[in-house]
Coordinates of all heavy atoms in Angstrom, one line a residue:
M263 N 90.0 110.3 87.8 CA 89.6 109.7 89.1 C 88.8 108.5 88.8 O 88.0 108.4 87.9 CB 88.6 110.8 89.7 CG 88.1 110.4 91.0 SD 89.3 111.0 92.1 CE 89.9 109.9 93.0
S264 N 89.0 107.5 89.6 CA 88.4 106.2 89.3 C 87.0 106.1 89.8 O 86.2 105.2 89.4 CB 89.2 105.0 89.9 OG 89.3 105.1 91.3
D265 N 86.6 107.0 90.7 CA 85.2 106.9 91.2 C 84.5 108.3 91.4 O 83.7 108.5 92.3 CB 85.2 106.1 92.6 CG 86.0 106.8 93.7 OD1 86.7 107.7 93.4 OD2 85.9 106.3 94.8
G266 N 85.0 109.3 90.7 CA 84.3 110.6 90.8 C 85.2 111.7 90.7 O 86.5 111.6 90.7
R267 N 84.7 112.9 90.5 CA 85.5 114.1 90.4 C 86.1 114.6 91.7 O 85.4 114.4 92.8 CB 84.6 115.2 89.9 CG 85.2 116.5 89.5 CD 84.2 117.5 89.0 NE 84.8 118.7 88.4 CZ 85.3 119.7 89.1 NH1 85.3 119.6 90.4 NH2 85.9 120.7 88.5
I268 N 87.3 115.1 91.7 CA 87.9 115.5 93.0 C 88.2 117.0 93.0 O 88.4 117.6 94.1 CB 89.3 114.7 93.3 CG1 90.3 115.0 92.3 CG2 89.0 113.3 93.5 CD1 91.7 114.6 92.7
G269 N 88.3 117.7 91.9 CA 88.5 119.1 91.9 C 89.1 119.6 90.6 O 89.0 118.9 89.6
T270 N 89.8 120.7 90.7 CA 90.5 121.3 89.5 C 92.0 121.5 89.8 O 92.4 121.7 90.9 CB 89.9 122.7 89.2 OG1 90.0 123.5 90.3 CG2 88.4 122.6 88.8
I271 N 92.7 121.3 88.7 CA 94.2 121.5 88.8 C 94.5 122.9 89.1 O 94.1 123.8 88.4 CB 94.9 121.0 87.6 CG1 94.6 119.5 87.4 CG2 96.4 121.3 87.6 CD1 95.2 118.9 86.1
D272 N 95.2 123.1 90.2 CA 95.6 124.5 90.6 C 97.0 124.8 90.1 O 97.2 126.0 89.7 CB 95.6 124.6 92.2 CG 95.8 126.0 92.7 OD1 95.0 126.8 92.2 OD2 96.6 126.2 93.5
E273 N 97.9 123.9 90.1 CA 99.2 124.1 89.5 C 99.8 122.7 89.1 O 99.3 121.7 89.6 CB 100.1 124.8 90.5 CG 100.4 124.1 91.8 CD 101.2 124.9 92.8 OE1 100.7 125.7 93.5 OE2 102.4 124.6 92.8
A274 N 100.8 122.8 88.3 CA 101.5 121.6 87.9 C 103.0 121.9 87.9 O 103.4 123.0 87.7 CB 101.0 121.1 86.6
S275 N 103.8 120.8 88.1 CA 105.2 120.9 88.0 C 105.8 119.9 87.0 O 105.3 118.8 87.0 CB 105.9 120.6 89.4 OG 107.3 120.5 89.3
D276 N 106.7 120.4 86.2 CA 107.3 119.5 85.3 C 108.9 119.4 85.6 O 109.6 119.0 84.7 CB 107.1 119.8 83.9 CG 107.6 121.2 83.5 OD1 108.1 121.9 84.4 OD2 107.4 121.6 82.3
E277 N 109.2 119.7 86.8 CA 110.7 119.7 87.1 C 111.1 118.2 87.1 O 110.4 117.3 87.4 CB 110.9 120.2 88.6 CG 110.4 121.6 88.8 CD 110.4 122.0 90.3 OE1 111.2 121.4 91.1 OE2 109.6 122.9 90.7
A278 N 112.4 118.0 86.7 CA 112.9 116.6 86.7 C 112.8 116.1 88.1 O 113.1 116.7 89.1 CB 114.4 116.7 86.3
D279 N 112.3 114.8 88.2 CA 112.1 114.1 89.4 C 111.2 114.7 90.4 O 111.2 114.4 91.6 CB 113.5 113.9 90.1 CG 114.4 113.0 89.3 OD1 114.0 112.1 88.6 OD2 115.7 113.3 89.4
A280 N 110.4 115.7 90.0 CA 109.4 116.3 91.0 C 108.1 116.6 90.3 O 107.4 117.5 90.7 CB 110.0 117.6 91.4
G281 N 107.7 115.9 89.2 CA 106.5 116.2 88.5 C 105.3 115.8 89.4 O 105.2 114.8 90.0
H282 N 104.4 116.8 89.5 CA 103.2 116.6 90.4 C 102.1 117.6 90.0 O 102.3 118.6 89.2 CB 103.5 116.8 91.9 CG 104.0 118.2 92.2 ND1 105.3 118.5 92.2 CD2 103.3 119.3 92.5 CE1 105.5 119.8 92.5 NE2 104.3 120.3 92.7
L283 N 100.9 117.3 90.4 CA 99.8 118.2 90.3 C 99.3 118.6 91.7 O 99.3 117.8 92.6 CB 98.6 117.5 89.6 CG 98.8 116.9 88.2 CD1 97.6 116.1 87.8 CD2 99.1 118.0 87.2
V284 N 98.9 119.9 91.8 CA 98.2 120.3 93.0 C 96.8 120.6 92.6 O 96.5 121.3 91.6 CB 98.8 121.7 93.5 CG1 98.1 122.2 94.7 CG2 100.3 121.4 93.9
V285 N 95.9 119.8 93.3 CA 94.5 119.9 92.9 C 93.7 120.5 94.0 O 93.8 120.2 95.2 CB 93.9 118.4 92.7 CG1 92.4 118.5 92.4 CG2 94.7 117.7 91.6
D286 N 92.9 121.6 93.6 CA 92.1 122.2 94.6 C 90.8 121.4 94.7 O 90.0 121.3 93.7 CB 91.8 123.7 94.1 CG 91.0 124.5 95.1 OD1 90.3 123.9 95.9 OD2 91.0 125.7 94.9
T287 N 90.5 120.9 95.8 CA 89.3 120.0 96.0 C 88.0 120.7 96.1 O 86.9 120.1 96.2 CB 89.5 119.0 97.2 OG1 89.6 119.8 98.3 CG2 90.7 118.2 97.0
G288 N 88.0 122.0 96.2 CA 86.8 122.8 96.4 C 86.1 122.4 97.6 O 86.7 122.1 98.7
P289 N 84.7 122.2 97.5 CA 84.0 121.9 98.7 C 84.1 120.4 99.1 O 83.7 120.0 100.2 CB 82.5 122.2 98.4 CG 82.5 122.2 96.9 CD 83.9 122.5 96.4
W290 N 84.6 119.6 98.3 CA 84.7 118.1 98.5 C 85.5 117.8 99.8 O 85.0 117.0 100.6 CB 85.3 117.4 97.3 CG 85.5 115.9 97.6 CD1 84.6 115.0 98.0 CD2 86.7 115.2 97.5 NE1 85.1 113.8 98.1 CE2 86.4 113.9 97.8 CE3 88.0 115.6 97.1 CZ2 87.4 112.9 97.8 CZ3 89.0 114.6 97.1 CH2 88.7 113.3 97.5
I291 N 86.7 118.4 100.0 CA 87.4 118.2 101.2 C 87.6 119.6 101.8 O 88.7 120.0 102.1 CB 88.8 117.5 101.0 CG1 88.7 116.3 100.2 CG2 89.4 117.2 102.4 CD1 90.1 115.6 99.9
F292 N 86.5 120.3 102.0 CA 86.5 121.6 102.7 C 87.5 122.6 102.1 O 88.2 123.3 102.8 CB 86.7 121.4 104.2 CG 85.8 120.4 104.9 CD1 86.3 119.2 105.3 CD2 84.4 120.6 104.9 CE1 85.5 118.3 105.9 CE2 83.6 119.7 105.5 CZ 84.1 118.5 106.0
G293 N 87.6 122.6 100.8 CA 88.4 123.6 100.2 C 89.9 123.4 100.3 O 90.7 124.3 100.0
Q294 N 90.3 122.2 100.6 CA 91.7 121.9 100.7 C 92.3 121.6 99.4 O 91.6 121.3 98.4 CB 92.0 120.7 101.6 CG 91.6 121.0 103.1 CD 92.0 119.8 104.0 OE1 92.5 118.8 103.5 NE2 91.6 119.9 105.2
K295 N 93.6 121.5 99.3 CA 94.4 121.1 98.1 C 95.1 119.8 98.4 O 95.4 119.5 99.6 CB 95.4 122.2 97.7 CG 94.7 123.5 97.3 CD 95.7 124.5 96.8 CE 95.0 125.8 96.4 NZ 95.9 126.8 95.9
V296 N 95.3 119.0 97.4 CA 96.0 117.8 97.5 C 97.1 117.7 96.5 O 97.0 118.3 95.4 CB 95.1 116.5 97.4 CG1 94.1 116.5 98.5 CG2 94.4 116.5 96.0
L297 N 98.2 117.1 96.8 CA 99.3 116.9 95.9 C 99.2 115.5 95.3 O 99.1 114.5 96.0 CB 100.7 117.0 96.6 CG 101.9 117.0 95.7 CD1 102.2 118.3 95.1 CD2 103.1 116.5 96.5
L298 N 99.2 115.4 94.0 CA 99.2 114.1 93.3 C 100.5 113.9 92.5 O 100.7 114.8 91.6 CB 98.0 114.0 92.4 CG 96.6 114.0 93.1 CD1 95.5 114.0 92.0 CD2 96.5 112.8 94.0
P299 N 101.3 112.9 92.7 CA 102.4 112.7 91.8 C 102.0 112.4 90.4 O 100.9 111.9 90.2 CB 103.0 111.4 92.4 CG 102.6 111.3 93.8 CD 101.2 111.9 93.8
A300 N 102.8 112.9 89.5 CA 102.5 112.7 88.1 C 102.2 111.3 87.7 O 101.4 111.0 86.8 CB 103.6 113.3 87.2
G301 N 102.8 110.4 88.4 CA 102.6 108.9 88.1 C 101.2 108.4 88.4 O 100.8 107.4 87.9
T302 N 100.4 109.2 89.1 CA 99.0 108.8 89.3 C 98.1 109.2 88.2 O 96.9 108.7 88.1 CB 98.4 109.5 90.6 OG1 98.4 110.9 90.4 CG2 99.2 109.1 91.9
V303 N 98.6 110.0 87.2 CA 97.8 110.3 86.0 C 97.6 109.1 85.1 O 98.6 108.5 84.7 CB 98.4 111.5 85.3 CG1 97.6 111.7 83.9 CG2 98.4 112.7 86.1
D304 N 96.3 108.7 84.9 CA 96.0 107.6 84.1 C 95.9 108.0 82.6 O 96.5 107.3 81.7 CB 94.7 106.9 84.6 CG 94.4 105.7 83.8 OD1 95.3 104.9 83.5 OD2 93.2 105.5 83.5
R305 N 95.2 109.1 82.4 CA 95.1 109.6 81.0 C 94.5 111.0 81.0 O 94.1 111.5 82.1 CB 94.1 108.6 80.2 CG 92.7 108.6 80.6 CD 91.9 107.6 79.9 NE 90.7 107.1 80.5 CZ 89.6 107.7 80.5 NH1 89.4 108.8 79.8 NH2 88.5 107.3 81.2
V306 N 94.7 111.7 79.9 CA 94.2 113.0 79.8 C 93.3 113.1 78.6 O 93.6 112.6 77.5 CB 95.4 114.0 79.6 CG1 95.0 115.4 79.4 CG2 96.4 113.9 80.7
D307 N 92.1 113.7 78.8 CA 91.2 113.9 77.7 C 91.3 115.4 77.3 O 90.8 116.3 78.0 CB 89.8 113.6 78.1 CG 88.7 113.7 77.0 OD1 88.9 114.6 76.1 OD2 87.7 113.0 77.1
H308 N 92.0 115.7 76.3 CA 92.3 117.0 75.9 C 91.1 117.8 75.4 O 90.9 119.0 75.7 CB 93.4 117.1 74.8 CG 94.8 116.7 75.3 ND1 95.6 117.5 76.1 CD2 95.4 115.5 75.2 CE1 96.7 116.9 76.4 NE2 96.6 115.6 75.9
Q309 N 90.2 117.1 74.7 CA 89.0 117.8 74.3 C 88.1 118.2 75.4 O 87.5 119.2 75.4 CB 88.2 116.8 73.3 CG 88.8 116.7 72.0 CD 88.0 115.9 71.0 OE1 87.3 114.9 71.4 NE2 88.0 116.2 69.8
E310 N 87.9 117.3 76.4 CA 87.1 117.6 77.6 C 87.8 118.4 78.7 O 87.1 118.8 79.7 CB 86.5 116.3 78.1 CG 85.6 115.6 77.2 CD 84.3 116.4 76.8 OE1 83.8 117.0 77.7 OE2 83.9 116.3 75.6
H311 N 89.1 118.6 78.5 CA 89.9 119.2 79.6 C 89.8 118.5 80.9 O 89.5 119.1 81.9 CB 89.5 120.7 79.7 CG 89.7 121.5 78.5 ND1 90.9 121.9 78.0 CD2 88.8 121.8 77.5 CE1 90.7 122.5 76.9 NE2 89.4 122.5 76.5
V312 N 89.9 117.2 80.9 CA 89.8 116.3 82.1 C 91.1 115.5 82.2 O 91.5 114.9 81.3 CB 88.6 115.4 82.0 CG1 88.5 114.5 83.2 CG2 87.3 116.3 81.9
V313 N 91.6 115.4 83.4 CA 92.7 114.5 83.8 C 92.2 113.4 84.7 O 91.6 113.7 85.7 CB 93.8 115.3 84.5 CG1 95.0 114.4 84.9 CG2 94.4 116.4 83.6
Y314 N 92.4 112.2 84.3 CA 92.0 111.0 85.0 C 93.2 110.5 85.8 O 94.3 110.3 85.3 CB 91.4 109.9 84.1 CG 90.2 110.4 83.4 CD1 90.2 111.0 82.2 CD2 88.9 110.1 83.9 CE1 89.1 111.4 81.5 CE2 87.8 110.5 83.3 CZ 87.9 111.1 82.1 OH 86.7 111.5 81.5
V315 N 92.9 110.1 87.1 CA 94.0 109.5 87.9 C 93.6 108.1 88.3 O 92.4 107.8 88.3 CB 94.3 110.4 89.1 CG1 94.9 111.8 88.7 CG2 93.2 110.6 90.0
D316 N 94.6 107.3 88.7 CA 94.3 105.9 89.0 C 94.1 105.7 90.5 O 94.6 104.7 91.0 CB 95.3 105.0 88.4 CG 96.7 105.2 88.9 OD1 96.9 106.2 89.7 OD2 97.6 104.5 88.5
R317 N 93.5 106.6 91.2 CA 93.3 106.5 92.6 C 91.8 106.8 92.9 O 91.2 107.5 92.2 CB 94.2 107.5 93.4 CG 95.6 107.3 93.3 CD 96.0 105.9 93.8 NE 97.4 105.6 93.8 CZ 98.1 105.2 92.8 NH1 97.5 104.9 91.7 NH2 99.4 104.9 93.0
T318 N 91.4 106.3 94.1 CA 90.0 106.5 94.4 C 89.9 107.8 95.2 O 90.9 108.3 95.7 CB 89.4 105.4 95.4 OG1 90.2 105.4 96.6 CG2 89.5 104.0 94.7
R319 N 88.7 108.3 95.4 CA 88.5 109.5 96.2 C 89.0 109.3 97.6 O 89.6 110.2 98.2 CB 87.0 109.9 96.2 CG 86.6 110.4 94.8 CD 85.1 110.6 94.8 NE 84.5 111.5 95.8 CZ 84.1 112.7 95.6 NH1 84.3 113.3 94.4 NH2 83.6 113.4 96.6
Q320 N 88.7 108.1 98.2 CA 89.1 107.8 99.5 C 90.7 107.8 99.7 O 91.2 108.4 100.6 CB 88.5 106.5 100.1 CG 88.7 106.4 101.6 CD 88.0 107.4 102.4 OE1 86.8 107.7 102.1 NE2 88.7 108.0 103.3
Q321 N 91.4 107.2 98.7 CA 92.8 107.3 98.7 C 93.4 108.7 98.7 O 94.3 109.0 99.4 CB 93.4 106.5 97.6 CG 93.2 105.0 97.7 CD 93.7 104.3 96.4 OE1 93.3 104.7 95.3 NE2 94.5 103.2 96.6
I322 N 92.8 109.5 97.9 CA 93.2 110.9 97.8 C 92.9 111.7 99.2 O 93.7 112.4 99.7 CB 92.6 111.6 96.6 CG1 93.3 111.0 95.4 CG2 92.8 113.1 96.6 CD1 92.6 111.3 94.0
K323 N 91.7 111.4 99.7 CA 91.3 112.1 100.9 C 92.2 111.7 102.1 O 92.5 112.4 103.0 CB 89.9 111.7 101.3 CG 89.3 112.5 102.4 CD 87.8 112.1 102.6 CE 87.2 113.0 103.7 NZ 85.8 112.7 103.9
D324 N 92.7 110.4 102.1 CA 93.6 109.9 103.2 C 95.0 110.2 103.0 O 95.9 109.8 103.8 CB 93.4 108.3 103.3 CG 92.0 107.9 103.8 OD1 91.3 108.8 104.3 OD2 91.7 106.8 103.5
A325 N 95.4 110.8 101.9 CA 96.8 111.2 101.6 C 97.3 112.2 102.6 O 96.6 112.9 103.3 CB 97.0 111.8 100.2
P326 N 98.6 112.2 102.7 CA 99.2 113.3 103.7 C 98.7 114.7 103.3 O 98.6 115.0 102.1 CB 100.7 113.2 103.4 CG 100.9 111.8 102.9 CD 99.7 111.4 102.1
P327 N 98.3 115.5 104.3 CA 97.8 116.8 104.0 C 98.8 117.7 103.2 O 100.0 117.6 103.5 CB 97.5 117.4 105.3 CG 97.9 116.4 106.3 CD 98.4 115.2 105.7
F328 N 98.3 118.5 102.3 CA 99.1 119.4 101.5 C 99.3 120.7 102.3 O 98.4 121.3 102.8 CB 98.5 119.6 100.1 CG 99.3 120.6 99.3 CD1 100.5 120.3 98.8 CD2 98.8 121.9 99.1 CE1 101.2 121.1 98.0 CE2 99.5 122.8 98.3 CZ 100.8 122.4 97.8
D329 N 100.6 121.1 102.4 CA 100.9 122.4 103.0 C 101.9 123.1 102.0 O 103.1 122.6 101.9 CB 101.5 122.2 104.4 CG 101.9 123.5 105.0 OD1 101.7 124.6 104.4 OD2 102.5 123.5 106.1
P330 N 101.5 124.1 101.3 CA 102.4 124.7 100.3 C 103.7 125.2 100.9 O 104.7 125.3 100.2 CB 101.6 125.8 99.7 CG 100.4 126.0 100.6 CD 100.2 124.8 101.4
V331 N 103.7 125.6 102.2 CA 104.8 126.1 102.8 C 105.9 125.0 103.1 O 107.1 125.3 102.9 CB 104.5 126.8 104.2 CG1 105.7 127.3 104.9 CG2 103.5 128.0 103.9
S332 N 105.4 123.9 103.4 CA 106.4 122.7 103.7 C 106.4 121.7 102.6 O 106.8 120.6 102.9 CB 106.1 122.1 105.1 OG 104.8 121.5 105.0
A333 N 106.0 122.0 101.4 CA 106.0 121.1 100.3 C 107.4 120.9 99.7 O 107.7 121.1 98.6 CB 105.0 121.4 99.2
D334 N 108.3 120.4 100.6 CA 109.7 120.2 100.2 C 109.9 118.8 99.6 O 109.0 118.0 99.5 CB 110.7 120.5 101.4 CG 110.3 119.6 102.5 OD1 109.5 118.7 102.4 OD2 111.0 119.8 103.6
Q335 N 111.2 118.5 99.4 CA 111.5 117.2 98.8 C 111.1 116.0 99.7 O 110.5 115.0 99.3 CB 113.0 117.1 98.5 CG 113.5 115.8 97.9 CD 112.9 115.5 96.5 OE1 112.6 116.5 95.8 NE2 112.7 114.3 96.2
E336 N 111.3 116.2 101.0 CA 110.9 115.1 102.0 C 109.4 114.9 101.9 O 108.9 113.7 101.9 CB 111.3 115.5 103.4 CG 111.0 114.5 104.4 CD 111.4 115.0 105.8 OE1 112.5 115.6 106.0 OE2 110.7 114.6 106.7
Y337 N 108.6 116.0 101.9 CA 107.2 115.9 101.8 C 106.8 115.1 100.5 O 105.9 114.2 100.5 CB 106.5 117.2 101.9 CG 105.0 117.2 101.5 CD1 104.1 116.6 102.4 CD2 104.6 117.6 100.3 CE1 102.7 116.6 102.0 CE2 103.3 117.5 99.9 CZ 102.3 117.0 100.8 OH 101.0 116.9 100.5
R338 N 107.3 115.5 99.4 CA 107.0 114.9 98.1 C 107.4 113.4 98.1 O 106.6 112.6 97.6 CB 107.7 115.6 96.9 CG 107.1 117.0 96.7 CD 107.6 117.6 95.4 NE 109.0 117.7 95.3 CZ 109.7 118.8 95.5 NH1 109.1 119.9 95.9 NH2 111.0 118.8 95.4
E339 N 108.4 113.1 98.8 CA 108.8 111.6 98.9 C 107.8 110.9 99.7 O 107.4 109.8 99.4 CB 110.2 111.5 99.4 CG 111.3 111.9 98.4 CD 112.7 111.9 99.0 OE1 112.8 111.5 100.2 OE2 113.6 112.3 98.3
R340 N 107.3 111.5 100.8 CA 106.3 110.9 101.7 C 105.0 110.7 100.9 O 104.4 109.6 101.0 CB 106.1 111.7 102.9 CG 105.3 111.0 104.0 CD 105.2 111.7 105.3 NE 104.4 112.9 105.1 CZ 104.7 114.2 105.5 NH1 105.9 114.4 106.1 NH2 103.9 115.2 105.3
V341 N 104.6 111.6 100.1 CA 103.4 111.5 99.3 C 103.6 110.4 98.2 O 102.7 109.6 98.0 CB 103.0 112.9 98.7 CG1 101.9 112.7 97.7 CG2 102.6 113.8 99.7
G342 N 104.8 110.4 97.6 CA 105.0 109.4 96.6 C 105.0 108.0 97.2 O 104.4 107.1 96.6
A343 N 105.6 107.8 98.4 CA 105.6 106.5 99.0 C 104.1 106.1 99.4 O 103.7 105.0 99.2 CB 106.4 106.6 100.3
Y344 N 103.3 107.1 99.8 CA 101.9 106.8 100.1 C 101.2 106.2 98.9 O 100.5 105.2 99.0 CB 101.2 108.0 100.6 CG 99.7 107.9 100.7 CD1 99.1 107.2 101.8 CD2 98.9 108.4 99.7 CE1 97.7 107.1 101.8 CE2 97.5 108.2 99.7 CZ 96.9 107.5 100.8 OH 95.6 107.3 100.8
Y345 N 101.3 106.9 97.8 CA 100.6 106.4 96.6 C 101.3 105.1 96.0 O 100.6 104.3 95.5 CB 100.6 107.5 95.5 CG 99.5 108.6 95.9 CD1 99.9 109.8 96.3 CD2 98.2 108.3 95.8 CE1 99.0 110.8 96.6 CE2 97.3 109.3 96.2 CZ 97.7 110.5 96.6 OH 96.7 111.4 96.9
A346 N 102.6 105.0 96.1 CA 103.2 103.8 95.6 C 102.8 102.6 96.4 O 102.6 101.5 95.9 CB 104.8 103.9 95.7
D347 N 102.6 102.7 97.7 CA 102.1 101.6 98.6 C 100.8 101.1 98.1 O 100.5 99.9 98.3 CB 102.0 102.0 100.0 CG 103.4 102.2 100.7 OD1 104.4 101.7 100.1 OD2 103.4 102.7 101.8
S348 N 100.0 101.9 97.4 CA 98.6 101.4 97.0 C 98.7 100.5 95.8 O 97.7 99.8 95.5 CB 97.7 102.6 96.7 OG 98.2 103.3 95.5
Y349 N 99.9 100.4 95.2 CA 100.1 99.4 94.1 C 100.4 98.0 94.7 O 100.4 97.0 94.0 CB 101.2 99.8 93.2 CG 100.9 101.0 92.3 CD1 101.5 102.2 92.3 CD2 99.9 100.8 91.3 CE1 101.2 103.2 91.5 CE2 99.5 101.9 90.5 CZ 100.2 103.1 90.6 OH 99.9 104.1 89.7
L350 N 100.8 97.9 96.0 CA 101.2 96.7 96.6 C 99.9 95.9 96.9 O 98.9 96.4 97.3 CB 102.0 96.9 97.9 CG 103.3 97.7 97.7 CD1 103.9 98.0 99.0 CD2 104.3 97.0 96.8
P351 N 100.0 94.5 96.8 CA 98.9 93.7 97.1 C 98.7 93.7 98.6 O 99.6 93.9 99.4 CB 99.3 92.3 96.6 CG 100.8 92.3 96.6 CD 101.2 93.8 96.3
P352 N 97.4 93.5 99.0 CA 97.2 93.5 100.5 C 98.0 92.3 101.1 O 98.2 91.3 100.5 CB 95.7 93.3 100.6 CG 95.2 92.9 99.2 CD 96.3 93.2 98.3
P353 N 98.3 92.4 102.4 CA 99.0 91.4 103.1 C 98.2 90.1 103.0 O 97.1 90.0 103.2 CB 99.1 91.8 104.6 CG 98.8 93.3 104.5 CD 98.0 93.5 103.3
G354 N 99.0 89.0 102.7 CA 98.4 87.7 102.6 C 97.8 87.4 101.2 O 97.3 86.2 100.9
A355 N 97.8 88.3 100.3 CA 97.2 88.1 98.9 C 98.1 87.2 98.1 O 99.4 87.2 98.3 CB 97.1 89.5 98.2
I356 N 97.5 86.4 97.3 CA 98.3 85.5 96.5 C 98.6 86.2 95.2 O 97.7 86.7 94.5 CB 97.5 84.2 96.2 CG1 97.2 83.5 97.5 CG2 98.2 83.3 95.2 CD1 96.2 82.3 97.4
P357 N 99.9 86.3 94.9 CA 100.3 87.0 93.6 C 99.8 86.3 92.4 O 99.7 85.1 92.4 CB 101.8 87.0 93.6 CG 102.2 86.4 94.9 CD 101.1 85.8 95.6
R358 N 99.3 87.1 91.5 CA 98.7 86.5 90.2 C 99.8 86.5 89.2 O 100.5 87.5 88.9 CB 97.6 87.5 89.7 CG 96.6 86.7 88.9 CD 95.4 87.7 88.7 NE 95.7 88.4 87.5 CZ 95.0 89.4 87.0 NH1 94.0 89.8 87.7 NH2 95.4 90.0 85.9
V359 N 100.0 85.3 88.6 CA 101.0 85.2 87.5 C 100.3 85.3 86.2 O 99.3 84.6 85.9 CB 101.7 83.8 87.7 CG1 102.7 83.6 86.5 CG2 102.3 83.6 89.0
I360 N 100.9 86.1 85.4 CA 100.3 86.4 84.0 C 101.1 85.8 83.0 O 102.3 85.8 82.9 CB 100.1 87.9 83.8 CG1 99.2 88.4 84.8 CG2 99.5 88.2 82.4 CD1 98.9 89.9 84.8

C-alpha cells in the first residue's frame, strides 16, 4: 500500500489471465473485501509477510464493490479497467518525455 495498511489477503488466484488478490479490509471499510488485480502488486516482503500494492487507500476504497457471488469475468474486467485508468495522466496533463 502506498499510504497505509488496507487489510489481510483472504484468497489469491493464479489462474491464467485471472490473477488477483481478495483482501479482507477488516474494520477499515466496515469489514468489506476488495479485489485487487495481480498487476497492482508492487513488491512482496517475504520475511515480514507483507504485500505492497501501488495504489492509495482512497483508490482501493473507491473501486467497484466486491461481491463473491458475481465475481465473474465481466466484473474482473471492470475492476481491471478501474485500476488501469489510474495509470493514465489526468486530462490536460503534459506528457513527460524521458
Side-chain angles (χ1 to χ4, degrees):
M263 184 89 242
S264 65
D265 63 350
R267 186 178 191 284
I268 62 163
T270 57
I271 295 174
D272 189 52
E273 62 181 85
S275 169
D276 60 0
E277 300 169 27
D279 298 327
H282 61 269
L283 302 173
V284 175
V285 178
D286 184 341
T287 62
W290 174 57
I291 310 180
F292 308 113
Q294 292 183 7
K295 294 182 181 183
V296 294
L297 183 85
L298 296 174
T302 62
V303 174
D304 184 42
R305 63 187 161 86
V306 178
D307 184 330
H308 293 282
Q309 287 185 324
E310 296 295 322
H311 303 281
V312 176
V313 175
Y314 294 89
V315 296
D316 62 356
R317 295 300 186 274
T318 65
R319 289 170 58 99
Q320 191 62 49
Q321 287 173 312
I322 292 169
K323 188 174 183 179
D324 293 342
F328 177 69
D329 178 3
V331 175
S332 64
D334 58 7
Q335 181 64 30
E336 181 182 324
Y337 167 76
R338 290 192 304 262
E339 288 173 4
R340 191 172 69 227
V341 171
Y344 167 81
Y345 285 108
D347 286 349
S348 67
Y349 285 118
L350 300 174
I356 300 171
R358 208 171 86 189
V359 178
I360 300 176

